[in-house]
Amino acid sequence: MRLGLGIDTGGTYTDSVILDLDTKEIISRSKALTTHDDLLKGIVDSIDGLRSHENIQLVSLSTTLATNSVVEGKGCRVGLLTIGKRIVPDLDVSSIGFVDGEFDMRGNIVTELDEMSATNLLNDMKGKVDSIAICGYLSVRYPEHENRLKGLASEILDVPVVCAHDLTSKLGFKERLNTAVMNASLIPEIIGLISSVKDALVEFDIDAPLMIVKGDGSVMSSDVAMERPIDTIMSGPASSLTGAMNVPGVTDAMVIDIGGTTTDIGMIQNGFVHTLDEGASICGHRTRVHAADICTYGLGGDTGMELVDKRIVFSGRRSIPYCVASSRWPSIHDRIMERRMVSIDDCIFFIHSNGKGPLSLNELKGEMGLSDASLGAMESSGSLIRISLTPTDILAAEGRYGRYDSTASTVMVELIASFNSMTADELIHLAKGSVKGRLLQCIYDYTYHSDDEPMEVFGRVGQAERYKKADITTIIGVGAPSGSWLPDVVDAIGYDLIIPDDFDVRNAVGAICSRVTEYVEIIIRAAPNDFSPDPQCRVYASDDSFYFNGKDEAIEFAKSEGIRIATQKAKASGANEIEIMMKIEEHNIDDKFHGECLFRGADIIVKAFGDPSFGSK
């Protein structure tokens, strides 16, 4: 029996499962609260809750680290060198330098690389940066200048160096610039997390390869992840899609993952995760990151809810449910059970990050004199942790969720209702209708994508009417709250709903069931002045380009080179028994004068995939 350990760090919980990799049977499962200030602690707590840690041959982790770092504007100090164009990225960098050096579209050197200027710029960055990003104009076709500067940077600075052409083969200077900077900013953090996870596995006597889930739902070795952390953007949501793909008999479906913090919506089509070919937009920054077509919405089991004029308003911010807080802090439990609240502002509590508290909203405003703006800033920084009404409390008060102190939720629902001249049943009915309506909005937004009021936090490049065009009539629900909220929602739109077994840990199942997948794009372009039926061609592959006297010879070389490079990348990412898929997109023009179709180029996309290599146990 081959056993694998899948770990998913969600916004609220870190889930772990031990899976029989042959039968896909869950042998053991565990949930622990995610510790945002130290992700490793939540991972260790989750692994510790498993019945056994023996005979594990593979470990796979989906992590929110990269996504959270981008969303929160964190990351290390990045030094940036751009070559050929004086363009600045959308993201902050600590140091930036512009270096002369340029190729034209045919690969001729227009301006020689100014290595002396680059050397001076790099020397000026000593002690000021933790990593270097290098992006040159047309470097996806002609990477020579980027590679030369990488060698210089490695000699002068003892920090990781990232070249844009190593991350994507697609054109788009600004998008590649953002991608390189983002990747460089994440390297130290992902190295720290992976090193810590490996240390934790040693503590549990787990000697197995460690894989990391990528944003397209596939996995890569931890060594590759430390070089390309940007590929882990959307890692967690992508795991829900691969977890849903393991539902027998379903090849096309919309997948809705309702977690504690967010609702993530994506699609599987023809048994594969639907991805963004043009690259994901992350927090408004266009990139060339290959990721699943997922939208993330600020609605989850722990989303804060307020009652304003007998209308539910969602804060979009995570709040600790009363039932959870009452179980964790005796002082909260005592306040709730003794019903000390005399106004609605007494029903919102705060715990300081140093553990002090609780204090009610009234106490913070009255005794401490804090304004709404100050409170908001302290919450955003993590100094204050809010405890308030959430969808989880509504389920607990209704008797449908009993994991924590459901009595606390019942009491608080009664009090909040009374302060608003309502009964508890009326508040529960109103809240349930509001959650249902919000989920329907999310589905509609994902399906048809309105530019007028975009609801998502990040992760979309407007692909309108995906749902309608795909003719999908099935929704798969995963995530702990999905079984409670989705049946009524899906009934309202008339589609089939599947809530799979172990839906509350499907992300962790998806992490350990994912395959290694690598893509390579080889570009063929006909000679600009050769309009013959069989033109001379240039093939752009990896760090080099090659000339051929005819298109057939060029295509055959491009196919074999694409297979070689993709296979090499898949092996480096930890794949075993690699399979190949290939797509050829020719570019032709009509010669109306001669009545011929003339070849002008082709894009050859090679996909290499396989199961991860297992440990020796």
Side-chain angles (χ1 to χ4, degrees):
M1 180 166 53
R2 301 183 305 168
L3 298 182
L5 169 60
I7 307 166
D8 174 68
T9 58
T12 302
Y13 290 104
T14 295
D15 300 335
S16 295
V17 298
I18 294 178
L19 197 75
D20 182 328
L21 295 168
D22 297 314
T23 66
K24 301 299 186 283
E25 177 189 358
I26 293 179
I27 306 301
S28 180
R29 47 178 282 161
S30 173
K31 297 177 81 74
L33 289 170
T34 296
T35 46
H36 291 274
D37 56 334
D38 180 9
L39 287 178
L40 181 64
K41 183 181 183 303
I43 292 170
V44 169
D45 290 344
S46 185
I47 297 174
D48 195 41
L50 296 167
R51 289 197 304 267
S52 172
H53 312 110
E54 297 179 356
N55 300 319
I56 292 172
Q57 296 176 256
L58 183 70
V59 180
S60 188
L61 168 72
S62 67
T63 173
T64 58
L65 179 64
T67 306
N68 290 346
S69 294
V70 174
V71 172
E72 296 167 12
K74 296 178 180 178
C76 71
R77 300 173 300 170
V78 177
L80 171 65
L81 294 180
T82 68
I83 312 168
K85 295 290 181 181
R86 291 177 174 264
I87 298 178
V88 297
D90 296 331
L91 299 102
D92 292 334
V93 292
S94 297
S95 300
I96 187 169
F98 304 103
V99 180
D100 287 335
E102 188 175 352
F103 292 91
D104 64 18
M105 292 298 292
R106 300 183 183 183
N108 301 310
I109 292 180
V110 176
T111 306
E112 291 287 349
L113 182 66
D114 189 348
E115 292 192 19
M116 183 170 290
S117 171
T119 299
N120 293 333
L121 289 167
L122 290 166
N123 278 315
D124 287 342
M125 292 181 187
K126 281 185 177 179
K128 301 175 185 177
V129 299
D130 304 304
S131 62
I132 294 288
I134 301 172
C135 187
Y137 184 65
L138 290 180
S139 66
V140 292
R141 300 285 188 269
Y142 315 107
E144 178 188 341
H145 286 170
E146 278 191 11
N147 287 332
R148 283 165 62 184
L149 286 197
K150 181 176 183 178
L152 271 179
S154 299
E155 289 176 12
I156 296 170
L157 300 171
D158 186 23
V159 298
V161 183
V162 174
C163 288
H165 79 273
D166 287 329
L167 301 174
T168 177
S169 60
K170 292 185 178 295
L171 293 170
F173 189 78
K174 189 65 171 284
E175 289 85 353
R176 293 188 297 108
L177 195 63
N178 289 335
T179 305
V181 169
M182 206 176 287
N183 192 80
S185 73
L186 296 171
I187 286 177
E189 281 196 272
I190 203 77
I191 288 176
L193 175 66
I194 289 172
S195 297
S196 297
V197 171
K198 286 183 176 180
D199 289 342
L201 295 177
V202 171
E203 287 184 27
F204 288 106
D205 196 27
I206 298 173
D207 181 16
L210 173 62
M211 310 297 290
I212 309 295
V213 178
K214 294 162 49 175
D216 63 0
S218 63
V219 292
M220 58 183 163
S221 69
S222 56
D223 290 342
V224 172
M226 289 191 286
E227 297 176 358
R228 301 172 58 100
I230 195 169
D231 284 348
T232 67
I233 296 287
M234 308 298 286
S235 167
S239 286
S240 66
L241 296 180
T242 51
M245 281 167 51
N246 283 278
V247 175
V250 179
T251 58
D252 298 273
M254 177 185 288
V255 180
I256 301 179
D257 177 9
I258 308 177
T261 308
T262 60
T263 292
D264 303 314
I265 304 181
M267 286 205 312
I268 53 175
Q269 290 181 276
N270 300 316
F272 291 97
V273 172
H274 186 247
T275 58
L276 293 164
D277 294 332
E278 64 269 57
S281 177
I282 302 166
C283 295
H285 307 308
R286 289 293 299 271
T287 74
R288 285 292 182 246
V289 178
H290 187 256
D293 182 14
I294 294 171
C295 291
T296 295
Y297 302 91
L299 176 67
D302 296 352
T303 298
M305 306 167 70
E306 293 183 29
L307 192 55
V308 179
D309 297 329
K310 295 191 176 182
R311 182 173 61 90
I312 293 293
V313 176
F314 296 98
S315 69
R317 178 181 292 161
R318 180 176 176 268
S319 183
I320 298 177
Y322 292 119
C323 56
V324 176
S326 180
S327 298
R328 289 180 64 184
W329 292 287
S331 55
I332 294 281
H333 175 80
D334 293 343
R335 280 196 178 208
I336 293 175
M337 292 303 108
E338 294 169 13
R339 297 175 182 249
R340 299 180 195 170
M341 305 78 182
V342 296
S343 72
I344 195 68
D345 281 355
D346 287 324
C347 295
I348 300 174
F349 305 122
F350 292 89
I351 297 288
H352 197 277
S353 58
N354 63 14
K356 292 183 179 179
L359 293 174
S360 71
L361 182 57
N362 253 344
E363 290 166 337
L364 285 172
K365 287 183 174 180
E367 297 175 16
M368 299 182 66
L370 290 178
S371 64
D372 288 338
S374 298
L375 282 170
M378 293 178 73
E379 278 193 85
S380 296
S381 69
S383 299
L384 289 179
I385 305 167
R386 180 181 292 245
I387 300 164
S388 67
L389 186 68
T390 67
T392 296
D393 290 305
I394 298 300
L395 295 178
E398 197 182 23
R400 299 172 65 190
Y401 182 74
R403 182 178 176 86
Y404 294 98
D405 184 5
S406 57
T407 303
S409 295
T410 301
V411 170
M412 292 307 299
V413 166
E414 290 173 355
L415 285 170
I416 292 170
S418 68
F419 291 138
N420 287 274
S421 302
M422 299 173 67
T423 67
D425 286 343
E426 287 173 334
L427 175 54
I428 290 171
H429 179 76
L430 177 65
K432 288 175 64 179
S434 298
V435 173
K436 175 181 175 179
R438 178 69 173 171
L439 284 170
L440 285 169
Q441 282 182 304
C442 294
I443 293 171
Y444 184 84
D445 179 78
Y446 180 82
T447 302
Y448 299 107
H449 178 34
S450 167
D451 285 318
D452 299 330
E453 283 188 60
M455 294 170 54
E456 73 278 4
V457 179
F458 54 85
R460 169 214 304 286
V461 178
Q463 296 190 356
E465 298 187 352
R466 321 167 170 78
Y467 189 29
K468 183 177 179 181
K469 288 180 181 177
D471 195 28
I472 286 174
T473 59
T474 299
I475 289 176
I476 299 176
V478 298
S482 61
S484 299
W485 295 112
L486 283 181
D488 286 346
V489 171
V490 176
D491 278 348
I493 55 177
Y495 292 95
D496 298 324
L497 174 64
I498 297 174
I499 303 291
D501 293 339
D502 299 299
F503 60 91
D504 57 333
V505 291
R506 271 283 152 173
N507 287 29
V509 172
I512 194 59
C513 286
S514 298
R515 309 186 80 186
V516 175
T517 304
E518 292 290 347
Y519 294 87
V520 168
E521 186 173 14
I522 307 294
I523 308 298
I524 304 172
R525 292 295 178 261
N529 298 320
D530 187 347
F531 289 93
S532 64
D534 189 22
Q536 292 182 333
C537 292
R538 189 169 186 174
V539 176
Y540 302 95
S542 189
D543 282 359
D544 211 343
S545 60
F546 306 86
Y547 291 94
F548 295 91
N549 289 323
K551 68 171 185 176
D552 292 339
E553 187 181 2
I555 289 173
E556 286 307 309
F557 173 81
K559 287 162 60 177
S560 62
E561 190 70 357
I563 292 171
R564 183 188 69 80
I565 296 171
T567 300
Q568 187 179 64
K569 289 179 66 176
K571 285 181 178 178
S573 288
N576 186 36
E577 297 183 3
I578 295 167
E579 301 176 55
I580 296 292
M581 291 180 64
M582 185 181 300
K583 181 169 68 173
I584 301 176
E585 299 176 350
E586 285 198 17
H587 308 295
N588 301 298
I589 60 172
D590 290 327
D591 181 356
K592 296 180 180 179
F593 184 77
H594 295 98
E596 294 178 323
C597 185
L598 301 179
F599 177 84
R600 303 311 300 153
D603 300 333
I604 296 181
I605 302 166
V606 181
K607 173 182 174 182
F609 57 97
D611 290 329
S613 300
F614 299 100
S616 57
K617 290 184 180 180

